[in-house]
Amino acid sequence: KKDALWAADLGFAFFFTIEVIGRIRTERMHYFRGIWNWIDLVLVGAAIGELVLTTLSVSSLRVLRVFRIGRVFRAMRIVDMLRELRMLAQGLAKSLGALVWITLFLGILQGVCAVLLVDGLRDERSIMLFTGDHASGRPYMIGDFFGSMPTALFTLFQILTLESWCMGVVRPIAYHAPWTLLVFVPYIVFTT
């Protein structure tokens, strides 16, 4: 396995070295004006340095292996080369602000609903909902879903993802506390 990885590293280093040399020959001094070209040059230099040090059995300079992670950035150059992919990346970058606000809104909504349900179901925590595969072997109680803020937040996240929310959480709880539908229904409408 080690020899196969070393051979793959050698192959990639050879290919990328030829690419960098070819681009420097064709672009001449213009090659050094692009930031991606500098990143390529550093990554190729680190790959060659690592191969030389590995061949010489110098193990004290393993810091160069960190540059292996940098090879992922070579793939980012494709974004600059393809127009459609560049437009998609720009659209995603422009929408990040809205995504942050949506995430903040959902977090606040989830927190408010968790507080309402934990406080509102305080007296019903020991009511049995159904039997299931509970770790302790006992049936599920309302307190297992809304007994504390962490469990309530996790249960609301389960509802947000629509994973067994109806038969597993909402219907059994609404049977014992119908007012919870005034929290669950708007929560589902706004989060899904």
Side-chain angles (χ1 to χ4, degrees), residues 120-141:
L121 294 171
R122 186 176 311 270
D123 296 333
E124 287 93 1
R125 287 184 187 170
S126 61
I127 294 175
M128 183 179 84
L129 293 177
F130 53 87
T131 58
D133 295 332
H134 198 281
S136 67
R138 65 175 177 76
Y140 283 103
M141 308 290 187

Side-chain angles (χ1 to χ4, degrees), residues 62-74:
R62 294 186 186 261
V63 175
L64 291 177
R65 291 186 182 208
V66 173
F67 284 103
R68 283 186 180 185
I69 298 168
R71 293 180 190 174
V72 174
F73 290 112
R74 288 186 60 87

Side-chain angles (χ1 to χ4, degrees), residues 74-93:
R74 288 186 60 87
M76 295 292 288
R77 278 192 340 180
I78 296 173
V79 173
D80 282 341
M81 292 180 188
L82 301 174
R83 181 178 164 266
E84 291 84 8
L85 194 55
R86 185 176 56 243
M87 289 173 46
L88 183 65
Q90 288 171 345
L92 181 63

